[in-house]
Amino acid sequence: MTTIQQYGGPGRPDTTEGSAARPPDGAEAAATRGVAEVLARMRALAAALPAEDGVAVFNGVYLTVTEAVAGRIGHGTFQDPAAAGELDVRFARRYFDAVDAAAAGLRPPACWRPLFQLRRHPGVHPLQFALAGINAHIGHDLALAVLDTCRALECEPAALETDFDRVGGVLTSLEERIRERLMPGPDVLDVADPLTHLIGSWSLDKARDGAWVAARALWSVRRLPDVTEEFTERLDAGVGLVGRMLLTPLPG
């Protein structure tokens, strides 16, 4: 993974002035309640799943990130706290949909299948489970959550760009802490170690940038249902392939 990055992705200007969605009065309070409900669901999952379960590992990482986002809503971090909260809630719903599908014996989206299929594999390290979940959620779900939010708030993606980057800033600020928590000792692994090689092959920053590009592309073709469907299916399949590689069982 990469080093901590502050607000804003490479090559995208800060659009702080006049770009955020303006929901009606009371939207911020509603979004705050929505984030609280998301946190409650994640905590319930954490209590119900065995600690070694791969989904539980990702859920723990996601809970940490969502708690950090919740703590920043209403405290000046976000240009439009209501829009940031709406995006956070709609983003989380896609993860919960995958959890519910798997629990019901249905097929979750292709991006999530590797994690649910290999969640108890003894040859997969906890850090791999975390990365596979982050890959599915950011690589696929985030772009669709941006579209969900734009439709709900009746705004263009550009209206969410500043807070999209600021949520990403929260993610990257927690990146090293998460990696240190899940990485096996010693602190510095041999560069030839398979796990070191594997985690170095995936980038959070690049996944976020890709999600933003995908969201803009999907928004631009939203009135072409056949194109939208094909694009979404291919995005799902491609992210799932990366997830499968991230979950390659490694020697103990």
Side-chain angles (χ1 to χ4, degrees):
M1 290 192 221
T2 57
T3 55
I4 293 174
Q5 171 188 323
Q6 285 300 321
Y7 303 148
R12 295 206 298 272
D14 189 338
T15 54
T16 299
E17 291 299 326
S19 66
R22 299 297 177 192
D25 292 342
E28 183 176 331
T32 300
R33 288 193 299 272
V35 174
E37 291 170 0
V38 165
L39 287 170
R41 177 77 194 275
M42 289 180 183
R43 289 168 182 149
L45 285 170
L49 294 172
E52 66 275 9
D53 184 292
V55 177
V57 174
F58 167 71
N59 188 80
V61 169
Y62 196 9
L63 176 58
T64 297
V65 171
T66 305
E67 287 173 338
V69 171
R72 287 162 171 79
I73 291 177
H75 290 81
T77 296
F78 299 113
Q79 177 177 292
D80 187 333
E86 184 75 18
L87 176 59
D88 188 79
V89 170
R90 291 182 179 276
F91 188 31
R93 284 177 184 167
R94 291 193 169 270
Y95 161 57
F96 296 146
D97 286 346
V99 170
D100 292 342
L106 304 175
R107 284 165 64 86
C111 61
W112 284 106
R113 283 175 213 156
L115 179 59
F116 284 99
Q117 290 169 351
L118 297 171
R119 62 194 295 177
R120 298 180 180 87
H121 197 295
V124 178
H125 189 274
L127 186 55
Q128 293 175 260
F129 288 132
L131 287 182
I134 295 169
N135 171 70
H137 204 36
I138 290 182
H140 174 264
D141 293 354
L142 184 52
L144 300 183
V146 169
L147 266 66
D148 294 340
T149 304
C150 286
R151 293 188 182 105
L153 300 182
E154 299 181 347
C155 68
E156 298 282 328
L160 303 176
E161 185 170 7
T162 296
D163 286 332
F164 177 96
D165 284 337
R166 292 181 177 181
V167 171
V170 176
L171 280 169
T172 51
S173 71
L174 296 170
E175 184 180 13
E176 286 301 317
R177 188 199 315 174
I178 290 167
R179 182 166 65 171
E180 289 171 4
R181 187 177 73 190
L182 296 176
M183 198 75 171
D187 291 339
V188 180
L189 294 178
D190 190 293
V191 292
D193 185 280
L195 183 59
T196 302
H197 176 77
L198 189 65
I199 65 172
S201 67
W202 190 86
S203 167
L204 175 60
D205 288 342
K206 287 183 174 58
R208 284 178 47 230
D209 289 342
W212 181 251
V213 170
R216 290 183 60 194
L218 283 166
W219 184 257
S220 70
V221 299
R222 65 191 183 280
R223 295 185 178 90
L224 302 172
D226 291 344
V227 176
T228 300
E229 182 179 5
E230 182 176 357
F231 188 108
T232 303
E233 289 177 354
R234 290 182 182 274
L235 177 66
D236 189 22
V239 173
L241 179 61
V242 174
R244 180 73 62 183
M245 290 186 288
L246 286 171
L247 291 174
T248 300
L250 301 176

